[in-house]
Amino acid sequence: MENQHDLALEGEFPWMVALMDENDQYFGGGSLIAPDVVLTSSYVTKDKEIEQIFVRAGEWNFKNTSEPQPHVKVGIRSKVRHPGFRIASGANNAALLFLESPLELTRHIQPICMPAASRNFDSSRCIVSGWGKKLNSDVRYMDVLKKIEVPLVKNPVCQTIMQLLNEDDFLLDESLMCAGGELTKDSCIARWWLSACLSPEGRSRAV
């Protein structure tokens, strides 16, 4: 049964974009950081050529074709993956997608605020959003944008927990952050996106 508290409101995350393939199938998420730039992960884009990636901005419900604010679909002109990305460890899992043309900014299409490089989010709570699967066994992704609020976990604590769970010498790369750990709240099922962290001033900022 659907948990209504996990449903995002239409336009609640105007920076959230859906990544679609050449067959108009969802395969990942990202955040709009400028009218023509999307921040996403290297992992979800590693096997895609630029001709196979389309950005759908302003999306909320894939099944609803009569939303008050329609989505906008645009192709990309280039893709830049972090040169230090390592698939085994997940290190530097970031990529930039440069759009073929800038998006017109509206109420439901807006870039997210970017934090200062020195900003410390150790005690923050973060919002994960996306159309990811509820269960690994699910065949389809979800139709309506979801959200989960989770706490950040300090890296030394996270590394210790991961080592205990995996019974190995797991090392958390310094480029990564940990979030979650609360019962029944999980975003590790395919294709969710850490959308924003809540600052003390109540503003959402990309991480």
Side-chain angles (χ1 to χ4, degrees), residues 5-190:
H5 295 293
D6 292 342
L7 295 178
L9 299 175
E10 190 271 332
E12 184 175 1
F13 303 108
W15 52 82
M16 184 74 199
V17 303
L19 303 183
M20 316 298 288
D21 65 17
E22 68 274 26
N23 298 312
D24 212 29
Q25 297 297 307
Y26 171 79
F27 69 89
S31 289
L32 191 68
I33 61 172
D36 63 342
V37 185
V38 167
L39 172 65
T40 185
S41 78
S42 281
Y43 181 79
V44 300
T45 57
K46 65 183 177 63
D47 297 323
K48 300 286 186 184
E49 301 296 330
I50 59 174
E51 297 83 5
Q52 298 174 300
I53 303 174
F54 296 87
V55 167
R56 190 183 287 188
E59 183 57 275
W60 177 57
N61 184 344
F62 286 136
K63 291 296 185 182
N64 190 344
T65 57
S66 58
E67 293 175 15
Q69 303 289 329
H71 68 260
V72 177
K73 182 179 176 181
V74 61
I76 68 168
R77 55 185 170 85
S78 64
K79 173 181 69 171
V80 179
R81 292 170 56 196
H82 195 294
F85 172 58
R86 298 292 180 268
I87 192 169
S89 65
N92 302 302
N93 188 13
L96 295 176
L97 305 178
F98 293 88
L99 308 186
E100 288 181 338
S101 58
L103 291 165
E104 180 181 352
L105 301 183
T106 64
R107 181 185 69 81
H108 72 311
I109 300 176
Q110 289 286 332
I112 191 170
C113 298
M114 297 298 290
S118 59
R119 187 61 182 267
N120 188 323
F121 286 98
D122 279 352
S123 60
S124 300
R125 294 187 67 82
C126 294
I127 296 173
V128 184
S129 59
W131 294 269
K133 299 175 182 178
K134 289 191 288 186
L135 299 172
N136 269 326
S137 57
D138 288 349
V139 176
R140 298 178 64 255
Y141 293 106
M142 295 180 285
D143 294 322
V144 181
L145 184 64
K146 303 294 192 300
K147 63 179 180 180
I148 301 175
E149 185 176 317
V150 292
L152 277 184
V153 179
K154 292 184 178 181
N155 280 19
V157 175
C158 180
Q159 178 168 288
T160 298
I161 293 172
M162 293 298 292
Q163 288 175 344
L164 291 172
L165 290 174
N166 296 309
E167 298 182 347
D168 60 17
D169 55 353
F170 173 84
L171 295 177
L172 184 68
D173 190 83
E174 62 181 11
S175 67
L176 300 176
M177 301 172 68
C178 283
E182 294 182 339
L183 191 64
T184 74
K185 291 186 177 183
D186 183 22
S187 64
C188 292
I189 309 303

